[in-house]
Amino acid sequence: MFGCNTPDNNVKSSILGTSPLMSQNIEKKVDSLLSLMTLEEKVGQMNQYNGFWDLTGPTPKDGAAAKKYEHLRKGWVGSMLNVRGVKNVRAVQKIAVEESRLGIPLIIGFDVIHGYKTMSPIPLAESASWDMEAIQKSSEIAALEASAAGINWTFAPMIDISRDARWGRVMEGAGEDPFLGAKIAEARVKGFQGEDLSASHTIAACAKHFAGYGFSEAGKDYNTVDIGTSTLNNIVFPPFRAATKSGVRTFMNSFNELNGIPATGNKMLQRDILKGDWQFNGFIVSDWGSIKEMINHGYTKDGSSAAETAVNAGSDMDMESYLYIKNLSSLVKEGKVEEQVIDDAVRRILRVKYELGLFDDPYKYCNYDREKEVIGSKANHEAVLDMAKKSIVLLKNNRKLLPLKKEGQKIALIGALANDKNSPLGSWRIAADDNTAVSVFEAMQQYDKNSLVYAKGADVSLGETGFVTETKINTTDKSEFKEAIDVAKSSDVVVMVLGEIGFQSGEARSRTELGLPGVQQELLEEVYKVNQNIVLVLNNGRPLTITWADKHIPAIVEAWHLGSQSGHAIAQVLYGDYNPSGKLPMSFPRNVGQIPIYYNYKNTGRPVEPNPDIVFWSHYSDQKNTPLYAFGHGLSYTSFTYENVIVNKVNSSSYSPEIKVSVEITNSGDVAGKEVVQLYIRDLFASVTRPVKELKGFEIISLKPGETKTVNFELNSETLGFYDNNGEWLIESGEFEVFVGGSSDNTIKSNFDLE
Ligand code: NOJ
């Protein structure tokens, strides 16, 4: 059994902004509407279609689109996805509301993953800010724009923990750590849903993908997941628990099977844990076609049994499998699915529609003036710029090469990505207009007291910047190397923007090689031969293996895919107008062979053997155990010293522990800066072994040069325990170590005992 007796599973899924009286009213309304519905209409609410046809054109006469129109009119569609823009949403809503028998409004879903049209950084990048206020704000802006375009439900946040940079979808998540991941889940849910879900600028969030998707074997998307109860409870679940606690209104299940049972048909996950233990009262949508995919998994033999299995397991809405609409009514009539299972699903869906206020005004998100005014506003661009700056991580800065001098310098800017206005928009940017990001080249031109010369050096992709496949990556054309080398030769400093184009990460973008794609590594090495003053700016959606660059290149800036304002954010950091403070949310491996690599690993029985001649210990014979850059790593233009960790045992009983930890941090450099102070613990001996370090607190502080601040943390029954293999939350007496620092691999330590 998973997830029972947890410290936090007594969740009353309170509806944001909804008083108990209002919720009672909603429940009454849901019941009375349900009593009017035919079985077919109920099943209709559980059916979600993709909107691919031109909704405002003439109605197609036959084919799939015609069928969808017909189903809308019959009240057999509860939701649509990928219909966007006031005109289109109005058109489809009008059919549901004005032409179907009961006029139940549609809930309109869309992948608002990191912005709608004004793009903020990809979620992995935002996670590097460790700034919950900023992340919440970014989700607010996304909700603001999406809701102005008719959308009232986002398929976000994606909160799958992953330790595998091969998996392209790490760009959508919060990285490898469950504690940070849980905080980010909470911030995003609050950002999307706001204080009042019925307001017209907030939208329902969707915690996805439940569960285990980030542990796809070998980092290959959609692949099998086989993990133990400890990993599931302690690593995978925390962000989902946090999202539930924050009142997230929907969940999405996942494509993967988990320990032999596809998540979509997994009763333990959906009915027992989520709807049972965690008392989640919103609804669960399947992932795209995942009900049908259970046939491929070898779990159900046909569409009818797939529908039966999914609905009985707790999947409330079918995204694009067509299997609920096709089979559920007959399954009820045959007695294979109880009507109360259908009623429960429909109740959940209607509840969320009522909470959104769709029954009061189905067109509340369909205001043309608001659409014009809100989407792409100056304020939204300012907000995503702020988020972009906070997301940048300074990985390395030798010889104080950064920040760049603002005058009298000859600067060579090299790399196709430096002049790319599309890539920075990242993956998952369906509503963004192509080529609308500010490029690094554009932004650097504003620092006009230097001379700036741009040379592409080489294309990353041959012709395409859209959904590029590996076969389109430029692995041969080096014809423009020479120009770049010449420019570099005569410059004081070279800024090279290299990495992945926007669509090289994301769904179905798993990779087995994580170096700089195509000929970029060779370009870097060739340029280095003529000028070693290189600042490498990385654009990427996942950790890359940049071991050569780390060894040779003096300054490295992790700039991810930073969204619409990318170039400005990067230029401001390069020139020191913004002092970077980002910290990695995911370890950077030295090579692919080290994957999965993560900071919160277990110790093993043979952890360390400094003598190189001794073979039999847990290590590789050709590579170090440590990552290239650790979780939590990130530099600043100033430096910080950590001193005096003091542990105060307010209550050292393992029944109700309260341990205060304080630490002094001083800005020991000569400019003001922000630091993300991180607190880790290690439970030294436990009935189920614990990781060598676990993040349990963090705080961002700003310090002027020479200034010292004391940061206080508290450890208690929510942070000092763990789930055992039966899903029981345990806090055990014994020795603990506590570490504080600016990175998981750079900490000072103290200890305490629990009795
Ligand atoms: C499949 C993806 O896995 C999911 O995250 C997304 O929300 C749906 N497609 C809808 O686009």
Side-chain angles (χ1 to χ4, degrees), residues 341-471:
V341 168
I342 306 290
D343 285 354
D344 175 63
V346 177
R347 227 181 234 114
R348 289 166 180 277
I349 294 163
L350 293 179
R351 183 178 293 138
V352 176
K353 290 185 178 182
Y354 273 109
E355 288 163 14
L356 283 163
L358 282 166
F359 284 94
D360 297 327
D361 178 4
Y363 302 109
K364 58 187 289 198
Y365 306 94
C366 295
N367 177 324
Y368 287 106
D369 290 341
R370 197 173 154 240
E371 183 177 41
K372 238 192 240 146
E373 201 180 294
V374 165
I375 298 176
S377 74
K378 193 165 168 269
N380 297 354
H381 277 278
E382 277 164 13
V384 300
L385 172 59
D386 181 60
M387 185 74 250
K389 289 188 277 190
K390 290 176 170 156
S391 304
I392 292 174
V393 184
L394 181 62
L395 294 174
K396 184 177 173 191
N397 191 20
N398 281 7
R399 295 190 266 115
K400 290 208 167 174
L401 191 56
L402 286 174
L404 300 173
K405 293 193 189 85
K406 286 186 180 164
E407 281 180 41
Q409 296 281 293
K410 191 167 175 207
I411 297 186
L413 178 65
I414 294 174
L417 291 171
N419 194 20
D420 188 334
K421 293 173 67 60
N422 212 33
S423 260
L425 299 172
S427 212
W428 284 122
R429 32 140 301 193
I430 307 171
D433 294 326
D434 282 346
N435 296 309
T436 49
V438 177
S439 72
V440 177
F441 186 31
E442 283 171 318
M444 282 187 77
Q445 286 172 43
Q446 297 190 356
Y447 292 82
D448 56 7
K449 292 190 177 139
N450 280 335
S451 107
L452 180 72
V453 186
Y454 172 71
K456 180 162 67 175
D459 280 311
V460 183
S461 149
L462 293 172
E464 274 193 53
T465 54
F467 272 99
V468 73
T469 55
E470 289 298 315
T471 54

Side-chain angles (χ1 to χ4, degrees), residues 48 81-82 110-111 113 155-156 158 169 172 208-209 213 221-222 252-253 255 286-288 319 428 430 507:
Q48 184 187 51
L81 77 153
N82 293 332
F110 194 73
D111 288 285
I113 306 296
F155 303 128
M158 188 281 219
R169 300 198 78 166
E172 287 174 60
K208 71 184 189 187
H209 306 83
Y213 190 28
D221 209 359
Y222 317 121
M252 186 184 290
N253 55 38
F255 287 125
S286 79
D287 203 345
W288 182 290
M319 183 191 286
W428 284 122
I430 307 171
E507 186 179 346

Side-chain angles (χ1 to χ4, degrees), residues 486-755:
D486 288 346
V487 167
K489 222 182 258 173
S490 58
S491 296
D492 299 307
V493 183
V494 184
V495 175
M496 295 187 74
V497 185
L498 306 176
E500 296 182 314
I501 62 169
F503 283 116
Q504 263 185 290
S505 53
E507 186 179 346
R509 293 291 179 275
S510 296
R511 296 174 59 205
T512 62
E513 302 278 352
L514 296 177
L516 296 168
V519 296
Q520 294 180 99
Q521 177 65 33
E522 213 177 320
L523 175 66
L524 179 63
E525 292 182 25
E526 290 303 315
V527 171
Y528 180 79
K529 282 181 191 157
V530 300
N531 190 336
Q532 302 190 356
N533 279 343
I534 297 179
V535 176
L536 170 61
V537 176
L538 293 172
N539 277 185
N540 45 324
R542 50 152 73 90
L544 296 177
T545 52
I546 48 159
T547 310
W548 185 91
D550 175 67
K551 190 161 172 207
H552 298 92
I553 304 299
I556 307 179
V557 175
E558 175 51 78
W560 316 104
H561 294 127
L562 290 176
S564 302
Q565 291 291 322
S566 171
H568 286 317
I570 294 169
Q572 287 184 31
V573 164
L574 294 181
Y575 276 107
D577 285 340
Y578 187 86
N579 188 354
S581 59
K583 302 278 185 180
L584 291 178
M586 216 176 155
S587 310
F588 270 46
R590 293 174 192 275
N591 62 22
V592 170
Q594 285 189 315
I595 295 174
I597 184 161
Y598 46 97
Y599 84 95
N600 48 356
Y601 58 89
K602 301 288 188 72
N603 205 33
T604 83
R606 297 187 176 193
V608 188
E609 180 48 72
N611 181 345
D613 295 332
I614 295 185
V615 177
F616 298 103
W617 64 288
S618 179
H619 75 304
Y620 300 105
S621 47
D622 62 349
Q623 187 51 276
K624 293 182 182 167
N625 280 359
T626 53
L628 188 62
Y629 302 117
F631 172 83
H633 169 76
L635 307 173
S636 161
Y637 293 147
T638 190
S639 51
F640 301 99
T641 52
Y642 284 71
E643 281 168 312
N644 300 329
V645 198
I646 297 171
V647 174
N648 173 12
K649 297 201 282 184
V650 181
N651 186 344
S652 58
S653 133
S654 56
Y655 291 100
S656 51
E658 194 184 336
I659 309 290
K660 306 248 187 208
V661 180
S662 67
V663 61
E664 279 173 20
I665 298 117
T666 303
N667 180 341
S668 45
D670 45 21
V671 290
K674 280 193 302 175
E675 169 75 331
V676 183
V677 182
Q678 302 157 41
L679 173 93
Y680 299 87
I681 61 162
R682 178 172 180 185
D683 181 347
L684 282 171
F685 304 99
S687 57
V688 181
T689 60
R690 306 305 305 139
V692 296
K693 264 181 194 158
E694 291 179 86
L695 182 72
K696 293 295 176 182
F698 57 89
E699 191 172 318
I700 303 179
I701 54 167
S702 297
L703 290 175
K704 296 191 200 89
E707 190 183 354
T708 300
K709 272 190 188 160
T710 301
V711 173
N712 298 299
F713 294 101
E714 187 188 303
L715 294 163
N716 54 33
S717 53
E718 282 189 21
T719 40
L720 288 168
F722 60 89
Y723 292 93
D724 71 7
N725 288 338
N726 299 314
E728 297 290 330
W729 180 253
L730 298 180
I731 303 167
E732 294 184 336
S733 54
E735 286 170 70
F736 286 77
E737 285 177 338
V738 51
F739 310 84
V740 189
S743 167
S744 65
D745 68 347
N746 186 11
T747 53
I748 53 174
K749 93 177 180 189
S750 184
N751 51 29
F752 61 90
D753 287 352
L754 287 187
E755 287 136 25

